[in-house]
Amino acid sequence: MSTAAQSAPSLRWSLVVPVKVLARAKTRMSAAAGPHRAALALAVAADTVAAALRCPLVDAVTVVTDDPLPAAELAALGARVVPDEPDAGLNPALAHGARRAREAAPAAAVGALSADLPALRPAELAKVLAAAATAPEAFVPDAAAVGTTLYTARPGTVFAPAFGGASRAAHRARGVRELLLDGTDSVRRDVDTPADLRAALVLGTGPRTAAVAALLPGLAGETPRPAR
C-alpha cells in the first residue's frame, strides 16, 4: 500500500463555498418562490454550510461572497467569509477562496462545494471526502449527471475546478476522478428548480430550507423530512 493511500483517511479538509449575491440567486425558482426567492437562496446556502461544518473531516469552510447578508449569517455559523476579489466568474472565485484556505491551512486538502445542497448529510460528505483523499483531484456529479457539486484537490495539487454548464464532462475530460458512491445522494442533490427542491425535501433538508419551502404555494402539500 502506498504512503498516500495509508495517510488518506486522516487527511483534513478545507471547503470553499461560493454564494451569489442574493438578488441574482436561484433565478430558476422565481415563479415558484416569488418574493421568497432570496430567502430561499440564503436558507439553502446556510443549511449547506451548517452541514459541511458538522462533517468530521472538515476543519474549515471558506465562503466567497460579495453579499453582506449571507456573509453575516454564514460567518455566524462558523464559516470564514472572503470577498470575491477576482469578480471574474465562478471558477476564479473558487480559486481565490482555495488560495485563502491554503494560506490558513497548508496541510489540508481543499474542496469546492456547491452552495445549494440543503439536504447535505455530514456523514455522507465524510464518505465522499475519504474517497477523494486517495486521488490528486476528484469530483462528484450532480443528481442530473450533468454538473458538479464537489471538486477536490489534495495538498500540492493544482486547484483547477471547471464548474459551470456540462462540468461533469469537463472534469472527466481532464482526467479528474469521478466519485459515484452508494449512500451519498445528499451530496449530489443540488437545487436549481422546483422539482429539485421537491426531491431535496423528500431526502430531508436542513431546517432553514424546510421553513422557507413551507411558505411556497407550489410546495404547500409537501411534507419535508427532517435532515439526519
Side-chain angles (χ1 to χ4, degrees), residues 1-13 56-57 126 129-131 133-134 154:
M1 182 181 293
S2 69
T3 301
Q6 289 175 325
S7 61
S10 62
L11 193 62
R12 307 300 300 174
W13 289 85
L57 298 183
L129 292 177
T134 65
R154 285 180 55 88

Side-chain angles (χ1 to χ4, degrees), residues 74-96:
L74 301 178
L77 292 176
R80 179 190 187 193
V81 178
V82 300
D84 181 7
E85 292 176 358
D87 192 24
L90 177 56
N91 291 304
L94 291 170
H96 169 63

Side-chain angles (χ1 to χ4, degrees), residues 107-187:
V110 179
L113 183 69
S114 169
D116 57 356
L117 301 171
L120 185 64
R121 306 296 198 258
E124 293 184 15
L125 178 59
K127 183 176 181 178
V128 169
L129 292 177
T134 65
E137 295 176 277
F139 80 99
V140 175
D142 64 11
V146 174
T148 300
T149 59
L150 175 69
Y151 162 84
T152 65
R154 285 180 55 88
T157 301
V158 174
F159 184 87
F163 282 83
S167 60
R168 181 192 188 196
H171 285 126
R172 291 178 65 171
R174 283 189 40 233
V176 181
R177 182 183 295 178
E178 183 174 33
L179 301 176
L180 291 168
L181 307 178
D182 291 338
T184 59
D185 289 350
S186 76
V187 188

Side-chain angles (χ1 to χ4, degrees), residues 33-65:
H36 303 293
R37 178 171 61 85
L40 177 64
L42 179 55
V44 167
D47 282 336
T48 301
V49 168
L53 286 166
R54 295 196 305 272
C55 177
L57 298 183
V58 174
D59 284 340
V61 173
T62 297
V63 170
V64 182
T65 188

